[in-house]
Amino acid sequence: MSDELSNKIIERIEAEQIETIPRWRFLFWSGLFWLFATLSVILGGLAVGAMLFLLAGQYFNGLLVISYDLTELLLLIPYLWLVAFVLFILVARISIKYTKKGYRYSLKFIIFVSVILSFVLGSIFYFVGIGEITHEYLNKIPLYNYATYDADDALKLHQTRLLQSQ
Amino acid sequence: MPEETIKTDQELVKAALANKHAFSEIVNRYEAAMRRYVKRLGCKDEDDVNDVLQEIFIKVFVNLNDYDQDLKFSSWLYRIAHNETISFFRKKNIRPNVLLMDKEEAEGIFEHLVDETDFVELAKERFDAQMVQDALSGLPQKYKEVLVLRFLEEKSYTEISDILKIPEGTVATLINRGKKELKIILETKGIKL
């Protein structure tokens, strides 16, 4: 084997003063993608926690049982949180793909694990009251308030519909 | 005089990080394999091959700190070689044709398409190396690259997964589909399998 190519490469490295990229830079990017993935799963958990809070509120005041009106029931679904949940799962999937060994896992596996983790976290958030805190905190924002129906909103909606029908 | 021990790839990487001149050992160790692989991917012109090889090894040097010791060094190297070669084809707007080095390579591919028991007989009767090469070149890129890695470079599924950065399950699927497509192309060319 001739050393021609290796000589050329070493000469070029020296002539163009080519340096190796420092290790910390690779670690930084790898860490950043893991951070994104972790944050996405946590945010997905918050979305599930808030969804559980909204649905449980409507269930416990009996509204999910007494509402036979399909439009009314459809309004009660926390779409905003559902969309947010799907987005967080997608961000988690993309972030994991770009981590060092993320490519080894299939799309289905990553999505499955992210969804399970978000549901486990979301259930914990709901039971310790973080789901409610998230909802109450965001409820101060008009757009959020307009897009979601909590137990009180749903009850008011139901009463209005009852009055209209009488 | 003490016998010189052969350094592992990891030791060579460590040495190259400490001293640029030690990087030439990595180049010398892998030059032949990379040259063969770049050609197999479809780079025919010798000057182009040399240019691509330079870019591959420069990229390897620049990214040495990114090498993950859990991977085989050759897998990491093949990954860079694959990406550099594909980006070279894109830059030059070339549609690569797989290049088989010799008749044995074509036989190697052919052997994987038929049952071992039938192979010798079929090879004697219907084998045509040029046809196998043309058929391989006619495959979509995704199949071509896995078949080259599996049957010509003789890489394991795990290694192919690490080189192409796709899950092992996808590697298996691509190999199976690639073999089926290759069979169809060969059959349309008159080679009955």
Side-chain angles (χ1 to χ4, degrees), chain A residues 44-113:
Chain A
L46 279 180
V48 172
M51 271 194 280
L52 287 177
F53 167 73
L54 290 172
L55 291 172
Q58 287 148 9
Y59 177 78
F60 287 122
N61 72 12
L63 218 74
L64 281 184
V65 184
I66 58 168
S67 293
Y68 293 111
D69 185 339
L70 185 65
T71 328
E72 204 171 294
L73 280 175
L74 286 176
L75 275 172
L76 299 179
I77 296 171
Y79 295 105
L80 194 70
W81 282 117
L82 266 179
V83 171
F85 175 69
V86 171
L87 278 179
F88 293 138
I89 295 296
L90 286 179
V91 174
R93 187 265 178 281
I94 293 165
S95 308
I96 290 170
K97 194 188 165 197
Y98 285 101
T99 58
K100 261 191 184 296
K101 291 186 186 115
Y103 62 85
R104 288 186 177 175
Y105 308 104
S106 69
L107 174 75
K108 279 182 205 160
F109 179 77
I110 294 175
I111 289 181
F112 177 75
V113 170

Side-chain angles (χ1 to χ4, degrees), chain A residues 1-10 12-14 17-23 26 97-101 103-107, chain B residues 17 20-21 23-24 27-28 31-32 50 53-55 57-58 61-68 70-71 79 161-162 165-167:
Chain A
M1 170 79 51
S2 79
D3 289 345
E4 201 187 331
L5 182 72
S6 59
N7 289 339
K8 267 188 193 167
I9 286 167
I10 297 296
R12 195 173 144 194
I13 287 172
E14 287 187 328
Q17 295 182 317
I18 298 169
E19 295 293 336
T20 53
I21 297 171
R23 190 162 185 76
F26 295 110
K97 194 188 165 197
Y98 285 101
T99 58
K100 261 191 184 296
K101 291 186 186 115
Y103 62 85
R104 288 186 177 175
Y105 308 104
S106 69
L107 174 75
Chain B
L17 282 168
K20 315 178 161 173
H21 289 271
F23 185 67
S24 58
V27 179
N28 289 338
E31 182 189 343
N50 285 327
L53 278 178
Q54 265 206 40
E55 292 312 314
F57 283 110
I58 292 289
F61 176 76
V62 169
N63 291 287
L64 266 185
N65 274 314
D66 192 31
Y67 167 56
D68 178 354
D70 293 343
L71 284 188
R79 181 191 293 173
S161 155
D162 289 334
K165 292 184 95 176
I166 50 175

Side-chain angles (χ1 to χ4, degrees), chain B:
Chain B
M1 200 171 130
E3 206 175 300
E4 201 182 329
T5 52
I6 297 167
K7 283 182 184 161
T8 63
D9 288 336
Q10 281 71 14
E11 284 169 339
L12 286 184
V13 170
K14 220 173 170 184
L17 282 168
N19 174 14
K20 315 178 161 173
H21 289 271
F23 185 67
S24 58
E25 278 192 66
I26 294 179
V27 179
N28 289 338
R29 181 173 290 181
Y30 282 101
E31 182 189 343
M34 289 300 108
R35 187 177 291 280
R36 204 177 49 219
Y37 181 53
V38 170
K39 283 183 178 177
R40 278 173 175 164
L41 283 177
C43 200
K44 288 176 189 157
D45 185 85
E46 203 58 38
D47 287 340
D48 285 346
V49 173
N50 285 327
D51 288 348
V52 174
L53 278 178
Q54 265 206 40
E55 292 312 314
I56 290 169
F57 283 110
I58 292 289
K59 197 146 205 182
V60 168
F61 176 76
V62 169
N63 291 287
L64 266 185
N65 274 314
D66 192 31
Y67 167 56
D68 178 354
Q69 306 267 341
D70 293 343
L71 284 188
K72 278 180 89 171
F73 182 73
S74 62
S75 297
W76 186 67
L77 201 63
Y78 268 85
R79 181 191 293 173
I80 293 176
H82 173 264
N83 293 343
E84 278 302 304
T85 312
I86 298 298
S87 100
F88 171 81
F89 291 146
R90 283 204 190 119
K91 259 187 247 166
K92 294 242 170 179
N93 212 6
I94 297 173
R95 193 183 184 279
N97 289 323
V98 174
L99 193 65
L100 301 178
M101 303 291 127
D102 47 41
K103 195 167 181 278
E104 279 75 42
E105 284 195 350
E107 278 175 359
I109 293 272
F110 193 75
E111 195 173 0
H112 288 285
L113 297 177
V114 292
D115 291 338
E116 273 177 42
T117 45
D118 300 337
F119 172 67
V120 181
E121 203 54 37
L122 277 166
K124 255 191 265 168
E125 284 176 12
R126 299 162 187 167
F127 185 76
D128 182 332
Q130 186 60 43
M131 267 190 191
V132 177
Q133 180 168 309
D134 292 346
L136 257 178
S137 298
L139 284 175
Q141 185 66 23
K142 58 182 178 179
Y143 299 139
K144 217 175 347 189
E145 54 196 27
V146 287
L147 293 184
V148 166
L149 284 168
R150 182 75 187 119
F151 300 135
L152 297 177
E153 297 295 329
E154 293 176 343
K155 298 289 176 193
S156 69
Y157 281 31
T158 312
E159 285 173 297
I160 299 174
S161 155
D162 289 334
I163 293 166
L164 300 177
K165 292 184 95 176
I166 50 175
E168 275 185 52
T170 310
V171 172
T173 309
L174 288 174
I175 288 174
N176 280 332
R177 286 189 191 156
K179 277 169 72 175
K180 273 183 200 157
E181 292 258 340
L182 191 58
K183 270 187 181 183
I184 293 169
I185 297 176
L186 282 172
E187 280 171 0
T188 57
K189 286 175 186 285
I191 299 179
K192 291 273 172 258
L193 298 168

